[in-house]
Amino acid sequence: MQGDGAGQDQDSELSCRNGAQNGESSSTGEAHSNGLESVTNNGNTVNNNNNGVSAPPESNNSNSTVDTRKKKRLSQCEEDVIRLIGQHLHDLGLNQTVDLLMQESGCRLEHPSATKFRNHVMEGEWDKAESDLNELKALMHSPSAIVRMKFLLLQQKYLEYLEDGKVLEALQVLRAELTPLKYNTERIHILSGYLMCSHAEDLQAKAEWEGKGTASRTKLLDKLQTYLPPSVMLPPRRLQTLLKQAVELQRERCLYHNTKLDSGLDSVSLLLDHACSRKQFPCYTQQILTEHCNEVWFCKFSNNGTKLATGSKDTTVILWHVDTETQQLKLMKTLEGHAYGVSYLAWSPDDAYLIACGPDDCSELWLWNVQTGELRTKMSQSHEDSLTSVAWNPDGKRFVTGGQRGQFYQCDLDGNLLDSWEGVRVQCLWCLNDGRTMLASDTHQRIRGYNFEDLTDRNIVQEDHPIMSFTVSKNGRLALLNVATQGVHLWDLQDRVLVRKYQGVTQGFYTIHSGFGGHNEDFIASGSEDHKVYIWHRRSELPIAELTGHTRTVNCVSWNPVLPGLLASASDDGTVRIWGPAPFLDVQEADGLNDCSSMDS
């Protein structure tokens, strides 16, 4: 006994049958690619499957068969899942499997009118496809969308005529079919211009069109489907879309995900939830740099990630080379002569130059040629100045500098004064990507934006306690502040709102520098007066790692902008620590590793 859909055409591209109401399988004798094969044995249907158990012969009482085989009614969710699986199997070319799935479940993949419409579009039978729209109109939430769908169909028809050299037929479509729709007349004018194309390649280039065939028609179907309810025709590759969304959501929720996001599914396993191990995160000491002989006040990786600069109370700047393969650092050059010590460093956008500033009583600024190790400029406007902070203009030809005694200058590479702003007591500086706006934190517990071109300024951030330092994300949207007695605060510069207060760090009145890092700058790291480095995921206020090893205040951290698994920290204990993932260990040792929070390297 066959189900209601058993007599439909098995060769159609999609079998959208209602299925066997009582769950009977077809006894056509066809082999299906899911491993099931239906055969006839003395008139009784026997299903051979992988577990080797065959169904018993049918009882003479057909009602008994119906009762034992009758299946529960599927929920809407179950039907949706079956349709999604069916669509995916169809995309893989497993059409017989799809037929069997739809028949046995009693579902249909899509509405018969949609199937007919799909086939006519893919076969380029435009008149029939246009006629199918009348049947689909009653099934649509917005019948007015029929005009837009018709326009897309006729546009494809027109372009295919042109490619085939049937200019008169194409002209007829343009004049007698597209124009009367009175829809998107601007596009019709553009289409008419394609009549002048001399050959198919010229047409495809100007129309940005794949040409007549499966590719362009599939793309057309994808557009047409957006106007149809999913109950009529599923969105293309819907199961893959849902799986990608699930993988992306798991990655976003993973606190330790620090690798480049791959939007494809081939690089992940769908059989397990996504979870990155803490051992893959940069919270294990890889190197301890001990070449400085006094407190290390600042460290900063170059923009290309191949160098690290460290500044110390010992009056030197040390440049380190980063081996991007081994992620080990080697001393390159020592830059000497900074009489007051080095408390701030800034790389030029192209990493050709490095500027060094001193503490509050320092009136000088040093601009070094990184390649030669030569001092290009030693700038001092007045012995009463305090030049403690600096920021490069994105053009690499200018920089701004200032300090707490009221100096705020814009200079060229030779130290010549280009502009000045009187009476601004600067604590920290940053230049935004527009090249015009300079951000400066001042002694009034705020960050203001200054424009040297039109001499305007405006308030952006207002805190209740002194802002000891701040840094800005690459896109210029977020600012990370180290606030005296409060810790690390995240501000949205565009909306001018406080987004998050990060917990755990000990921040008094020392100047401590924090920073963004990791892939997509998803992480935040900061030094602390309790001798630790704290790391947070940007969206979580609680630290995900506390790195121990330094024995005095950690003044500064810097995350390598190219190698997301490499982090540097500078401390009053005279050392610079390089942090990376856990070293290669066997499974037992790896499982026994302490957490980052308690690891003392």
Side-chain angles (χ1 to χ4, degrees):
M1 177 177 175
Q2 290 184 331
D4 294 343
Q8 291 189 13
D9 182 7
Q10 296 273 348
D11 296 326
S12 64
E13 181 180 1
L14 287 175
S15 176
C16 299
R17 58 188 73 195
N18 292 324
Q21 293 179 351
N22 298 321
E24 292 92 344
S25 60
S26 171
S27 57
T28 58
E30 292 182 359
H32 294 278
S33 52
N34 65 354
L36 297 176
E37 184 181 46
S38 296
V39 296
T40 301
N41 182 9
N42 296 328
N44 297 323
T45 300
V46 179
N47 290 322
N48 294 331
N49 50 39
N50 292 334
N51 62 15
V53 179
S54 59
E58 287 186 2
S59 168
N60 292 331
N61 186 345
S62 60
N63 291 331
S64 172
T65 304
V66 171
D67 291 339
T68 56
R69 291 188 178 184
K70 190 169 184 177
K71 297 178 180 175
K72 68 171 185 176
R73 181 178 179 82
L74 296 175
S75 67
Q76 186 61 54
C77 177
E78 289 168 334
E79 287 188 14
D80 289 347
V81 171
I82 288 172
R83 292 181 66 206
L84 291 172
I85 293 171
Q87 184 195 45
H88 186 66
L89 293 174
H90 170 261
D91 291 343
L92 295 175
L94 304 176
N95 295 330
Q96 288 184 331
T97 306
V98 176
D99 290 347
L100 188 59
L101 175 63
M102 294 301 115
Q103 176 183 304
E104 190 171 356
S105 65
C107 300
R108 65 182 180 195
L109 194 54
E110 59 188 19
H111 195 280
S113 298
T115 302
K116 186 165 58 172
F117 178 63
R118 176 194 298 277
N119 292 337
H120 288 154
V121 169
M122 294 305 295
E123 291 163 8
E125 297 185 13
W126 306 117
D127 293 339
K128 291 181 180 180
E130 192 175 337
S131 176
D132 295 335
L133 288 178
N134 295 325
E135 295 181 30
L136 293 171
K137 186 174 183 179
L139 303 171
M140 297 172 62
H141 298 315
S142 174
S144 61
I146 288 291
V147 175
R148 296 192 285 275
M149 294 179 73
K150 191 173 181 179
F151 184 89
L152 291 171
L153 280 175
L154 293 173
Q155 177 179 255
Q156 178 81 10
K157 179 181 178 181
Y158 168 76
L159 292 172
E160 291 196 7
Y161 273 147
L162 281 181
E163 184 178 291
D164 290 339
K166 299 177 180 178
V167 179
L168 292 178
E169 287 87 341
L171 191 58
Q172 178 67 13
V173 171
L174 191 67
R175 289 177 175 174
E177 298 183 68
L178 276 167
T179 303
L181 290 177
K182 296 180 180 178
Y183 174 77
N184 203 348
T185 52
E186 184 179 345
R187 177 62 179 168
I188 289 176
H189 289 313
I190 294 173
L191 290 173
S192 64
Y194 298 153
L195 288 165
M196 307 303 294
C197 292
S198 56
H199 48 79
E201 290 77 10
D202 188 26
L203 171 66
Q204 292 170 17
K206 289 183 177 177
E208 296 180 354
W209 179 60
E210 293 83 353
K212 179 179 177 180
T214 302
S216 64
R217 291 174 183 173
T218 300
K219 196 172 181 179
L220 170 63
L221 259 178
D222 289 351
K223 291 180 182 177
L224 292 168
Q225 184 282 324
T226 61
Y227 298 104
L228 295 171
S231 58
V232 176
M233 180 185 285
L234 284 172
R237 298 167 293 281
R238 182 61 184 159
L239 182 59
Q240 282 185 302
T241 300
L242 290 173
L243 291 174
K244 283 181 181 179
Q245 290 172 354
V247 169
E248 287 169 6
L249 182 62
Q250 288 187 18
R251 283 172 171 167
E252 287 175 9
R253 290 180 175 178
C254 176
L255 290 177
Y256 300 103
H257 190 80
N258 192 27
T259 55
K260 188 176 181 180
L261 293 177
D262 185 351
S263 60
L265 293 174
D266 293 336
S267 61
V268 299
S269 170
L270 300 177
L271 306 181
L272 295 170
D273 285 348
H274 175 86
C276 291
S277 168
R278 185 182 290 217
K279 299 175 184 67
Q280 301 169 274
F281 207 67
C283 47
Y284 300 91
T285 300
Q286 308 279 46
Q287 264 184 287
I288 303 176
L289 310 179
T290 58
E291 276 71 9
H292 284 293
C293 56
N294 209 324
E295 298 172 358
V296 187
W297 288 340
F298 200 83
C299 62
K300 186 71 174 176
F301 281 105
S302 60
N303 298 296
N304 63 13
T306 63
K307 300 176 187 68
L308 175 71
T310 56
S312 171
K313 186 179 180 179
D314 66 8
T315 73
T316 68
V317 173
I318 298 181
L319 298 179
W320 309 83
H321 172 72
V322 180
D323 187 318
T324 55
E325 294 295 326
T326 64
Q327 300 192 9
Q328 293 289 301
L329 277 69
K330 292 182 179 179
L331 192 150
M332 284 175 53
K333 294 183 178 71
T334 300
L335 310 176
E336 301 176 339
H338 311 86
Y340 296 90
V342 178
S343 61
Y344 196 83
L345 295 163
W347 293 88
S348 64
D350 61 0
D351 294 327
Y353 296 102
L354 182 71
I355 295 179
C357 297
D360 290 344
D361 51 354
C362 179
S363 62
E364 298 174 325
L365 173 150
W366 293 264
L367 193 156
W368 295 92
N369 183 311
V370 174
Q371 186 64 36
T372 63
E374 295 175 352
L375 182 65
R376 169 161 177 169
T377 305
K378 183 178 179 181
M379 187 193 107
S380 178
Q381 295 296 320
S382 165
H383 291 296
E384 297 179 357
D385 284 355
S386 171
L387 302 182
T388 58
S389 186
V390 66
W392 285 88
N393 190 292
D395 64 13
K397 299 176 181 177
R398 297 169 287 165
F399 61 87
V400 290
T401 184
Q404 291 195 14
R405 296 178 184 172
Q407 294 77 38
F408 190 12
Y409 305 133
Q410 182 169 223
C411 308
D412 63 17
L413 296 185
D414 295 317
N416 299 314
L417 192 63
L418 303 177
D419 297 288
S420 66
W421 208 295
E422 297 296 329
V424 182
R425 297 182 181 274
V426 174
Q427 177 71 26
C428 192
L429 290 165
W430 196 272
C431 184
L432 293 184
N433 296 331
D434 62 10
R436 299 187 302 272
T437 307
M438 308 295 168
L439 301 183
S441 60
D442 57 30
T443 52
H444 297 285
Q445 304 166 4
R446 64 190 180 182
I447 295 177
R448 291 177 65 80
Y450 297 86
N451 189 318
F452 276 97
E453 293 181 5
D454 56 18
L455 297 180
T456 58
D457 61 326
R458 59 193 175 97
N459 210 43
I460 297 177
V461 168
Q462 181 67 60
E463 282 278 2
D464 297 326
H465 297 80
I467 301 170
M468 307 308 294
S469 69
F470 75 93
T471 186
V472 178
S473 60
K474 288 179 182 178
N475 61 12
R477 179 70 185 261
L478 300 172
L480 196 61
L481 284 60
N482 282 73
V483 184
T485 73
Q486 302 300 299
V488 182
H489 291 180
L490 183 68
W491 280 78
D492 186 315
L493 296 177
Q494 184 172 311
D495 296 336
R496 302 185 194 181
V497 294
L498 176 62
V499 177
R500 203 156 280 118
K501 295 180 179 180
Y502 297 103
Q503 301 177 25
V505 68
T506 302
Q507 168 84 61
F509 288 91
Y510 286 123
T511 299
I512 292 176
H513 300 272
S514 57
F516 296 95
H519 265 298
N520 201 35
E521 294 192 323
D522 283 334
F523 301 97
I524 285 165
S526 177
S528 177
E529 293 180 21
D530 64 2
H531 315 165
K532 297 178 183 178
V533 174
Y534 286 82
I535 300 179
W536 301 266
H537 196 286
R538 201 168 68 190
R539 66 170 181 269
S540 176
E541 294 186 356
L542 295 175
I544 61 172
E546 299 175 17
L547 316 188
T548 59
H550 286 294
T551 57
R552 292 182 64 190
T553 295
V554 180
N555 298 305
C556 182
V557 294
S558 179
W559 214 303
N560 191 297
V562 178
L563 303 170
L566 202 61
L567 183 70
S569 59
S571 170
D572 281 350
D573 64 12
T575 70
V576 175
R577 284 189 174 240
I578 306 301
W579 308 87
F584 176 78
L585 300 167
D586 64 36
V587 176
Q588 287 185 334
E589 288 182 30
D591 289 343
L593 271 175
N594 293 329
D595 289 343
C596 302
S597 56
S598 61
M599 172 142 183
D600 189 345
S601 299

mmCIF file of all heavy atoms in Angstrom, residues 337-369:
data_model
loop_
_atom_site.group_PDB
_atom_site.id
_atom_site.type_symbol
_atom_site.label_atom_id
_atom_site.label_comp_id
_atom_site.label_asym_id
_atom_site.label_seq_id
_atom_site.Cartn_x
_atom_site.Cartn_y
_atom_site.Cartn_z
ATOM 1 N N GLY A 337 71.108 58.665 27.242
ATOM 2 C CA GLY A 337 71.205 60.115 27.396
ATOM 3 C C GLY A 337 69.962 60.805 27.904
ATOM 4 O O GLY A 337 69.919 62.042 27.991
ATOM 5 N N HIS A 338 68.925 60.063 28.240
ATOM 6 C CA HIS A 338 67.700 60.688 28.752
ATOM 7 C C HIS A 338 67.882 60.943 30.246
ATOM 8 O O HIS A 338 67.538 60.101 31.084
ATOM 9 C CB HIS A 338 66.500 59.770 28.517
ATOM 10 C CG HIS A 338 66.418 59.248 27.110
ATOM 11 N ND1 HIS A 338 67.091 58.121 26.696
ATOM 12 C CD2 HIS A 338 65.753 59.710 26.025
ATOM 13 C CE1 HIS A 338 66.829 57.903 25.412
ATOM 14 N NE2 HIS A 338 66.009 58.860 24.980
ATOM 15 N N ALA A 339 68.386 62.120 30.575
ATOM 16 C CA ALA A 339 68.884 62.403 31.921
ATOM 17 C C ALA A 339 67.846 62.195 33.022
ATOM 18 O O ALA A 339 68.207 61.829 34.150
ATOM 19 C CB ALA A 339 69.404 63.845 31.974
ATOM 20 N N TYR A 340 66.576 62.411 32.691
ATOM 21 C CA TYR A 340 65.537 62.310 33.737
ATOM 22 C C TYR A 340 64.866 60.929 33.766
ATOM 23 O O TYR A 340 63.957 60.696 34.555
ATOM 24 C CB TYR A 340 64.466 63.381 33.513
ATOM 25 C CG TYR A 340 64.977 64.795 33.641
ATOM 26 C CD1 TYR A 340 65.484 65.478 32.539
ATOM 27 C CD2 TYR A 340 64.961 65.434 34.871
ATOM 28 C CE1 TYR A 340 65.953 66.774 32.660
ATOM 29 C CE2 TYR A 340 65.429 66.741 35.010
ATOM 30 C CZ TYR A 340 65.926 67.404 33.889
ATOM 31 O OH TYR A 340 66.398 68.691 34.024
ATOM 32 N N GLY A 341 65.296 60.040 32.908
ATOM 33 C CA GLY A 341 64.608 58.763 32.762
ATOM 34 C C GLY A 341 63.553 58.838 31.661
ATOM 35 O O GLY A 341 63.261 59.923 31.131
ATOM 36 N N VAL A 342 63.011 57.691 31.300
ATOM 37 C CA VAL A 342 62.040 57.630 30.194
ATOM 38 C C VAL A 342 60.726 57.053 30.723
ATOM 39 O O VAL A 342 60.669 55.896 31.155
ATOM 40 C CB VAL A 342 62.572 56.750 29.037
ATOM 41 C CG1 VAL A 342 61.536 56.672 27.923
ATOM 42 C CG2 VAL A 342 63.889 57.301 28.515
ATOM 43 N N SER A 343 59.675 57.887 30.675
ATOM 44 C CA SER A 343 58.386 57.465 31.233
ATOM 45 C C SER A 343 57.308 57.292 30.162
ATOM 46 O O SER A 343 56.207 56.834 30.479
ATOM 47 C CB SER A 343 57.896 58.483 32.266
ATOM 48 O OG SER A 343 57.722 59.753 31.654
ATOM 49 N N TYR A 344 57.618 57.662 28.911
ATOM 50 C CA TYR A 344 56.613 57.496 27.846
ATOM 51 C C TYR A 344 57.320 57.360 26.501
ATOM 52 O O TYR A 344 58.338 58.020 26.254
ATOM 53 C CB TYR A 344 55.658 58.700 27.806
ATOM 54 C CG TYR A 344 54.389 58.428 27.027
ATOM 55 C CD1 TYR A 344 53.306 57.792 27.615
ATOM 56 C CD2 TYR A 344 54.282 58.791 25.683
ATOM 57 C CE1 TYR A 344 52.142 57.521 26.904
ATOM 58 C CE2 TYR A 344 53.135 58.524 24.960
ATOM 59 C CZ TYR A 344 52.064 57.893 25.572
ATOM 60 O OH TYR A 344 50.932 57.623 24.863
ATOM 61 N N LEU A 345 56.779 56.488 25.632
ATOM 62 C CA LEU A 345 57.347 56.249 24.304
ATOM 63 C C LEU A 345 56.232 56.223 23.264
ATOM 64 O O LEU A 345 55.124 55.753 23.562
ATOM 65 C CB LEU A 345 58.092 54.909 24.277
ATOM 66 C CG LEU A 345 59.333 54.782 25.153
ATOM 67 C CD1 LEU A 345 59.702 53.309 25.344
ATOM 68 C CD2 LEU A 345 60.502 55.561 24.537
ATOM 69 N N ALA A 346 56.517 56.698 22.060
ATOM 70 C CA ALA A 346 55.516 56.680 20.989
ATOM 71 C C ALA A 346 56.198 56.386 19.654
ATOM 72 O O ALA A 346 57.123 57.117 19.246
ATOM 73 C CB ALA A 346 54.767 58.012 20.908
ATOM 74 N N TRP A 347 55.739 55.310 19.003
ATOM 75 C CA TRP A 347 56.246 54.963 17.670
ATOM 76 C C TRP A 347 55.538 55.795 16.606
ATOM 77 O O TRP A 347 54.331 56.027 16.697
ATOM 78 C CB TRP A 347 55.987 53.488 17.368
ATOM 79 C CG TRP A 347 56.757 52.518 18.199
ATOM 80 C CD1 TRP A 347 56.393 51.992 19.408
ATOM 81 C CD2 TRP A 347 58.026 51.931 17.875
ATOM 82 N NE1 TRP A 347 57.353 51.119 19.874
ATOM 83 C CE2 TRP A 347 58.372 51.060 18.949
ATOM 84 C CE3 TRP A 347 58.899 52.052 16.807
ATOM 85 C CZ2 TRP A 347 59.546 50.320 18.962
ATOM 86 C CZ3 TRP A 347 60.086 51.321 16.824
ATOM 87 C CH2 TRP A 347 60.393 50.475 17.888
ATOM 88 N N SER A 348 56.301 56.213 15.586
ATOM 89 C CA SER A 348 55.658 56.888 14.451
ATOM 90 C C SER A 348 54.808 55.873 13.697
ATOM 91 O O SER A 348 55.020 54.660 13.806
ATOM 92 C CB SER A 348 56.715 57.493 13.519
ATOM 93 O OG SER A 348 57.519 56.468 12.944
ATOM 94 N N PRO A 349 53.801 56.331 12.910
ATOM 95 C CA PRO A 349 52.920 55.388 12.217
ATOM 96 C C PRO A 349 53.662 54.375 11.355
ATOM 97 O O PRO A 349 53.209 53.235 11.211
ATOM 98 C CB PRO A 349 52.030 56.307 11.366
ATOM 99 C CG PRO A 349 51.988 57.591 12.133
ATOM 100 C CD PRO A 349 53.349 57.734 12.736
ATOM 101 N N ASP A 350 54.810 54.752 10.773
ATOM 102 C CA ASP A 350 55.574 53.828 9.928
ATOM 103 C C ASP A 350 56.708 53.143 10.694
ATOM 104 O O ASP A 350 57.528 52.440 10.090
ATOM 105 C CB ASP A 350 56.124 54.558 8.703
ATOM 106 C CG ASP A 350 57.080 55.694 9.063
ATOM 107 O OD1 ASP A 350 57.311 55.914 10.284
ATOM 108 O OD2 ASP A 350 57.591 56.359 8.146
ATOM 109 N N ASP A 351 56.782 53.364 11.991
ATOM 110 C CA ASP A 351 57.793 52.747 12.868
ATOM 111 C C ASP A 351 59.219 53.201 12.551
ATOM 112 O O ASP A 351 60.178 52.594 13.031
ATOM 113 C CB ASP A 351 57.725 51.215 12.812
ATOM 114 C CG ASP A 351 56.422 50.667 13.382
ATOM 115 O OD1 ASP A 351 55.887 51.269 14.322
ATOM 116 O OD2 ASP A 351 55.944 49.628 12.875
ATOM 117 N N ALA A 352 59.355 54.268 11.776
ATOM 118 C CA ALA A 352 60.699 54.755 11.439
ATOM 119 C C ALA A 352 61.310 55.557 12.589
ATOM 120 O O ALA A 352 62.528 55.608 12.738
ATOM 121 C CB ALA A 352 60.651 55.608 10.176
ATOM 122 N N TYR A 353 60.448 56.186 13.386
ATOM 123 C CA TYR A 353 60.935 57.046 14.471
ATOM 124 C C TYR A 353 60.294 56.648 15.793
ATOM 125 O O TYR A 353 59.192 56.088 15.842
ATOM 126 C CB TYR A 353 60.628 58.521 14.187
ATOM 127 C CG TYR A 353 61.334 59.053 12.964
ATOM 128 C CD1 TYR A 353 60.652 59.212 11.759
ATOM 129 C CD2 TYR A 353 62.682 59.402 13.000
ATOM 130 C CE1 TYR A 353 61.294 59.691 10.632
ATOM 131 C CE2 TYR A 353 63.344 59.882 11.874
ATOM 132 C CZ TYR A 353 62.642 60.020 10.696
ATOM 133 O OH TYR A 353 63.285 60.494 9.584
ATOM 134 N N LEU A 354 60.998 56.980 16.870
ATOM 135 C CA LEU A 354 60.505 56.741 18.218
ATOM 136 C C LEU A 354 60.742 58.004 19.039
ATOM 137 O O LEU A 354 61.848 58.538 19.061
ATOM 138 C CB LEU A 354 61.248 55.560 18.850
ATOM 139 C CG LEU A 354 60.816 55.158 20.259
ATOM 140 C CD1 LEU A 354 59.438 54.498 20.230
ATOM 141 C CD2 LEU A 354 61.853 54.208 20.887
ATOM 142 N N ILE A 355 59.687 58.474 19.717
ATOM 143 C CA ILE A 355 59.818 59.649 20.583
ATOM 144 C C ILE A 355 59.815 59.187 22.034
ATOM 145 O O ILE A 355 59.005 58.352 22.437
ATOM 146 C CB ILE A 355 58.672 60.654 20.347
ATOM 147 C CG1 ILE A 355 58.763 61.236 18.929
ATOM 148 C CG2 ILE A 355 58.729 61.782 21.371
ATOM 149 C CD1 ILE A 355 57.661 62.225 18.607
ATOM 150 N N ALA A 356 60.732 59.752 22.815
ATOM 151 C CA ALA A 356 60.829 59.431 24.240
ATOM 152 C C ALA A 356 60.594 60.687 25.070
ATOM 153 O O ALA A 356 61.118 61.762 24.765
ATOM 154 C CB ALA A 356 62.199 58.842 24.552
ATOM 155 N N CYS A 357 59.764 60.540 26.105
ATOM 156 C CA CYS A 357 59.494 61.627 27.034
ATOM 157 C C CYS A 357 59.919 61.205 28.435
ATOM 158 O O CYS A 357 59.996 60.012 28.747
ATOM 159 C CB CYS A 357 58.009 61.980 27.064
ATOM 160 S SG CYS A 357 57.337 62.586 25.507
ATOM 161 N N GLY A 358 60.129 62.203 29.303
ATOM 162 C CA GLY A 358 60.548 61.938 30.672
ATOM 163 C C GLY A 358 59.439 62.219 31.666
ATOM 164 O O GLY A 358 58.301 62.507 31.303
ATOM 165 N N PRO A 359 59.758 62.178 32.978
ATOM 166 C CA PRO A 359 58.777 62.454 34.033
ATOM 167 C C PRO A 359 58.475 63.947 34.160
ATOM 168 O O PRO A 359 58.915 64.747 33.328
ATOM 169 C CB PRO A 359 59.452 61.882 35.280
ATOM 170 C CG PRO A 359 60.912 61.962 34.991
ATOM 171 C CD PRO A 359 61.050 61.748 33.511
ATOM 172 N N ASP A 360 57.731 64.305 35.205
ATOM 173 C CA ASP A 360 57.185 65.664 35.312
ATOM 174 C C ASP A 360 58.221 66.773 35.216
ATOM 175 O O ASP A 360 57.942 67.852 34.678
ATOM 176 C CB ASP A 360 56.434 65.819 36.651
ATOM 177 C CG ASP A 360 55.143 65.017 36.657
ATOM 178 O OD1 ASP A 360 54.705 64.612 35.561
ATOM 179 O OD2 ASP A 360 54.583 64.781 37.746
ATOM 180 N N ASP A 361 59.408 66.567 35.757
ATOM 181 C CA ASP A 361 60.403 67.634 35.772
ATOM 182 C C ASP A 361 61.275 67.655 34.522
ATOM 183 O O ASP A 361 62.287 68.361 34.477
ATOM 184 C CB ASP A 361 61.286 67.522 37.020
ATOM 185 C CG ASP A 361 61.872 66.117 37.192
ATOM 186 O OD1 ASP A 361 61.486 65.236 36.403
ATOM 187 O OD2 ASP A 361 62.690 65.921 38.112
ATOM 188 N N CYS A 362 60.882 66.904 33.499
ATOM 189 C CA CYS A 362 61.678 66.836 32.260
ATOM 190 C C CYS A 362 61.134 67.815 31.224
ATOM 191 O O CYS A 362 59.956 67.762 30.861
ATOM 192 C CB CYS A 362 61.657 65.420 31.713
ATOM 193 S SG CYS A 362 62.591 65.228 30.182
ATOM 194 N N SER A 363 61.978 68.691 30.727
ATOM 195 C CA SER A 363 61.561 69.696 29.743
ATOM 196 C C SER A 363 61.992 69.324 28.337
ATOM 197 O O SER A 363 61.824 70.112 27.395
ATOM 198 C CB SER A 363 62.155 71.068 30.114
ATOM 199 O OG SER A 363 63.578 70.999 30.078
ATOM 200 N N GLU A 364 62.564 68.138 28.161
ATOM 201 C CA GLU A 364 63.111 67.742 26.860
ATOM 202 C C GLU A 364 62.338 66.558 26.272
ATOM 203 O O GLU A 364 61.716 65.769 26.994
ATOM 204 C CB GLU A 364 64.585 67.363 27.008
ATOM 205 C CG GLU A 364 65.461 68.508 27.488
ATOM 206 C CD GLU A 364 66.885 68.063 27.767
ATOM 207 O OE1 GLU A 364 67.079 66.921 28.234
ATOM 208 O OE2 GLU A 364 67.804 68.853 27.529
ATOM 209 N N LEU A 365 62.441 66.451 24.971
ATOM 210 C CA LEU A 365 61.830 65.346 24.222
ATOM 211 C C LEU A 365 62.849 64.859 23.202
ATOM 212 O O LEU A 365 63.519 65.668 22.549
ATOM 213 C CB LEU A 365 60.548 65.847 23.551
ATOM 214 C CG LEU A 365 59.782 64.955 22.578
ATOM 215 C CD1 LEU A 365 58.293 65.298 22.630
ATOM 216 C CD2 LEU A 365 60.270 65.129 21.148
ATOM 217 N N TRP A 366 63.003 63.535 23.058
ATOM 218 C CA TRP A 366 63.981 62.952 22.144
ATOM 219 C C TRP A 366 63.258 62.243 20.998
ATOM 220 O O TRP A 366 62.351 61.429 21.237
ATOM 221 C CB TRP A 366 64.847 61.924 22.873
ATOM 222 C CG TRP A 366 65.751 62.493 23.922
ATOM 223 C CD1 TRP A 366 67.061 62.823 23.790
ATOM 224 C CD2 TRP A 366 65.409 62.772 25.280
ATOM 225 N NE1 TRP A 366 67.566 63.293 24.969
ATOM 226 C CE2 TRP A 366 66.566 63.279 25.907
ATOM 227 C CE3 TRP A 366 64.224 62.661 26.025
ATOM 228 C CZ2 TRP A 366 66.585 63.673 27.241
ATOM 229 C CZ3 TRP A 366 64.244 63.059 27.363
ATOM 230 C CH2 TRP A 366 65.409 63.554 27.952
ATOM 231 N N LEU A 367 63.668 62.526 19.778
ATOM 232 C CA LEU A 367 63.111 61.858 18.594
ATOM 233 C C LEU A 367 64.242 61.074 17.937
ATOM 234 O O LEU A 367 65.204 61.655 17.409
ATOM 235 C CB LEU A 367 62.501 62.883 17.624
ATOM 236 C CG LEU A 367 61.618 62.331 16.495
ATOM 237 C CD1 LEU A 367 60.641 63.415 16.010
ATOM 238 C CD2 LEU A 367 62.431 61.844 15.304
ATOM 239 N N TRP A 368 64.126 59.739 17.972
ATOM 240 C CA TRP A 368 65.186 58.850 17.513
ATOM 241 C C TRP A 368 64.848 58.236 16.157
ATOM 242 O O TRP A 368 63.697 57.897 15.885
ATOM 243 C CB TRP A 368 65.387 57.710 18.509
ATOM 244 C CG TRP A 368 65.889 58.128 19.856
ATOM 245 C CD1 TRP A 368 65.132 58.445 20.944
ATOM 246 C CD2 TRP A 368 67.250 58.263 20.249
ATOM 247 N NE1 TRP A 368 65.938 58.773 22.009
ATOM 248 C CE2 TRP A 368 67.251 58.667 21.611
ATOM 249 C CE3 TRP A 368 68.471 58.084 19.598
ATOM 250 C CZ2 TRP A 368 68.426 58.903 22.321
ATOM 251 C CZ3 TRP A 368 69.647 58.312 20.315
ATOM 252 C CH2 TRP A 368 69.618 58.722 21.660
ATOM 253 N N ASN A 369 65.885 58.077 15.329
ATOM 254 C CA ASN A 369 65.783 57.291 14.103
ATOM 255 C C ASN A 369 65.996 55.823 14.499
ATOM 256 O O ASN A 369 67.083 55.452 14.956
ATOM 257 C CB ASN A 369 66.838 57.736 13.086
ATOM 258 C CG ASN A 369 66.720 56.986 11.765
ATOM 259 O OD1 ASN A 369 66.627 55.760 11.730
ATOM 260 N ND2 ASN A 369 66.742 57.725 10.666
#
